[in-house]
């Protein structure tokens, strides 16, 4: 009996102090943070939520507003803003906030007449996917002969071959024939026949491709309450930047339901 009572007292104080620490931190106006994720413009490209300015990032500030991995570098002396995807740096040609899409060019191939793809593009866990207009080009380098019925990349060194789209055979055994395989992405070209790709792959790579983003699943609650999602960089806690200038946990509407129900039972 006594045991039970002290237990319930313990839980009471535990939840009450949790509640008040929650209220305190959620009501705190953090003027050092990027108040409600301001917009900026960089080489004509508008940078706003869920993207954020990596070059403005205040390294001593413990939090930022926007999706992790969606930081954009706007430094001077760059032709376009840069986003760092897991595999490499990509120039951001445009961002369309209405259709949730961004147009990118691999920084390695920008303004190179006959570009060589250097790395596979990987999106890992980012809330990004290839748009319907995306088309794969699969390159094989330093081949002793054509590994199958691939097209020759004539402007590159001999021994470079590529496939357009998904037509590469599944069982293609390129080991021992070629030294390296790289899968890159361009935009579909309806008018192109195979022979047009032989001459035109460089221009297509230089024009880049489009990715679509979707709401990061863990940010749904915050965005529904008209907040902007961010993270505490030191604790990796989800934060919600609200319209009234406050920073809360999870979402902008009051206390979490479970906690309120627990407290109302006392
Ligand atoms: C936070 O700032 C907003 C305006 O920016 C103000 O309306 C609100 O009262 C402030 N909240 C606290 C707890 O200071
Ligand atoms: C942004 O790019 C510049 C040069 O292009 C580089 O010097 C700088 O370190 C980059 N900043 C960040 C935060 O990555
Ligand atoms: C960076 O953030 C720290 C801590 O939040 C703050 O004290 C400092 O004034 C900020 N510096 C700038 C340049 O915003
Ligand atoms: C291909 O050959 C060139 C020299 O012709 C060499 O520099 C390069 O390392 C080779 N391997 C790959 C994977 O490109
Ligand atoms: C790219 O991905 C393929 C598998 O799709 C892999 O075989 C190849 O080694 C990768 N290339 C590089 C440069 O990592
Ligand atoms: C972020 O984490 C740091 C370190 O734990 C903490 O001092 C800071 O108050 C946190 N910021 C927010 C808004 O929770
Ligand atoms: C987050 O903190 C780490 C060090 O803890 C730092 O290297 C990194 O640059 C920070 N993230 C951002 C977006 O600045």
């Amino acid at each position: 009996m006594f045991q039970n009572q002290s237990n319930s007292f313990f839980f009471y104080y535990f939840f009450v102090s949790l509640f008040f620490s929650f209220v305190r931190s959620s009501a705190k106006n953090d003027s050092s943070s990027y108040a409600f994720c301001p917009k900026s413009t960089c080489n004509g490209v508008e940078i706003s939520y869920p993207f954020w300015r990596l070059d403005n990032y205040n390294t001593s500030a413990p939090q930022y507003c926007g999706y992790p991995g969606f930081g954009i570098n706007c430094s001077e002396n760059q032709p376009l803003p840069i986003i760092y995807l897991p595999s490499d740096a990509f120039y951001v040609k445009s961002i369309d906030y209405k259709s949730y899409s961004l147009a990118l060019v691999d920084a390695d191939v920008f303004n190179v007449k006959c570009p060589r793809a250097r790395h596979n593009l990987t999106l890992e866990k980012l809330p990004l996917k290839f748009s319907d207009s995306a088309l794969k080009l699969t390159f094989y380098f330093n081949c002793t002969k054509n590994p199958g019925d691939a097209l020759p990349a004539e402007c590159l060194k001999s021994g470079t071959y590529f496939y357009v789209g998904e037509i590469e055979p599944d069982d293609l055994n390129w080991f021992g024939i070629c030294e390296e395989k790289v899968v890159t992405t361009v935009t579909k070209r309806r008018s192109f026949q195979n022979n047009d790709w032989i001459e035109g792959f460089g221009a297509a790579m230089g024009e880049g491709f489009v990715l679509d983003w979707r709401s990061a699943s863990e940010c749904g609650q915050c965005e529904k309450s008209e907040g902007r999602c961010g993270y505490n960089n030191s604790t990796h806690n989800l934060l919600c930047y609200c319209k009234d200038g406050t920073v809360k946990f999870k979402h902008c509407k009051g206390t979490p339901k479970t906690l309120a129900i627990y407290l109302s039972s006392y």
Side-chain angles (χ1 to χ4, degrees):
M1 195 64 191
F2 180 76
Q3 185 82 34
N4 273 349
Q5 230 166 9
S6 76
N7 264 348
S8 72
F9 263 93
F10 170 77
F11 280 112
Y12 177 78
Y13 283 112
F14 175 75
F15 277 100
V16 165
S17 58
L18 191 68
F19 176 78
F20 282 108
S21 73
F22 174 81
V23 168
R24 244 199 322 273
S25 60
S26 67
K28 194 181 83 183
N29 273 351
D30 196 333
S31 52
S32 70
S33 69
Y34 289 12
F36 207 59
C37 321
K39 286 180 188 175
S40 64
T41 302
C42 168
N43 298 72
V45 179
E46 183 192 307
I47 311 297
S48 70
Y49 183 84
F51 299 92
W52 46 282
R53 290 278 298 268
L54 197 59
D55 52 321
N56 267 354
Y57 188 76
N58 177 351
T59 45
S60 51
Q63 52 184 284
Y64 62 91
C65 188
Y67 294 172
F70 278 35
I72 289 180
N73 187 342
C74 274
S75 302
E76 286 170 36
N77 316 321
Q78 290 171 180
L80 288 167
I82 290 179
I83 187 167
Y84 303 99
L85 296 180
S87 48
D88 191 36
F90 290 82
Y91 286 129
V92 179
K93 288 169 69 185
S94 62
I95 303 179
D96 184 336
Y97 292 91
K98 288 203 178 85
S99 64
Y100 299 90
S101 62
L102 70 163
L104 303 179
V105 182
D106 188 334
D108 284 348
V109 312
F110 186 74
N111 276 352
V112 179
K113 215 166 184 178
C114 184
R116 185 209 194 280
R118 303 219 165 258
H119 27 243
N120 293 329
L121 170 56
T122 54
L123 302 175
E124 290 178 11
K125 283 178 185 159
L126 291 173
L128 289 168
K129 65 178 178 63
F130 292 101
S131 81
D132 293 340
S133 67
L135 179 71
K136 257 177 31 177
L137 298 185
T138 306
F139 286 89
Y140 293 93
F141 296 101
N142 292 15
C143 305
T144 52
K145 60 175 181 150
N146 195 325
D149 56 354
L151 303 172
E154 275 173 358
C155 70
L156 288 168
K157 270 192 320 153
S158 63
T160 307
Y161 296 89
F162 68 107
Y163 281 98
V164 178
E166 306 284 348
I167 58 170
E168 174 189 332
D170 282 339
D171 57 353
L172 186 73
N173 188 5
W174 58 276
F175 287 105
I177 299 171
C178 308
E179 280 181 16
E180 191 178 28
K181 171 183 180 177
V182 175
V183 184
T184 184
T185 303
V186 296
T187 300
K188 280 178 191 161
R189 304 197 161 199
R190 252 181 236 135
S191 63
F192 263 37
Q193 305 296 315
N194 269 353
N195 286 340
D196 299 318
W197 282 107
I198 295 175
E199 294 285 318
F201 79 90
M205 285 169 70
E207 281 175 29
F209 56 93
V210 173
L211 297 178
D212 296 331
W213 81 87
R214 49 194 163 69
S215 176
S217 54
E218 65 274 26
C219 294
Q221 276 195 321
C222 171
E223 287 168 354
K224 261 190 211 135
S225 67
E226 298 186 75
R228 301 282 199 234
C229 202
Y231 284 82
N232 189 327
N233 191 35
S234 25
T235 59
H236 297 284
N237 281 340
L238 187 71
L239 297 172
C240 193
Y241 290 74
C242 304
K243 272 188 163 172
D244 63 1
T246 58
V247 183
K248 296 187 181 176
F249 298 113
K250 290 204 170 117
H251 59 83
C252 294
K253 287 182 182 148
T255 51
K257 271 205 181 97
T258 48
L259 199 55
I261 288 165
Y262 194 90
L263 287 169
S264 71
S265 71
Y266 280 94

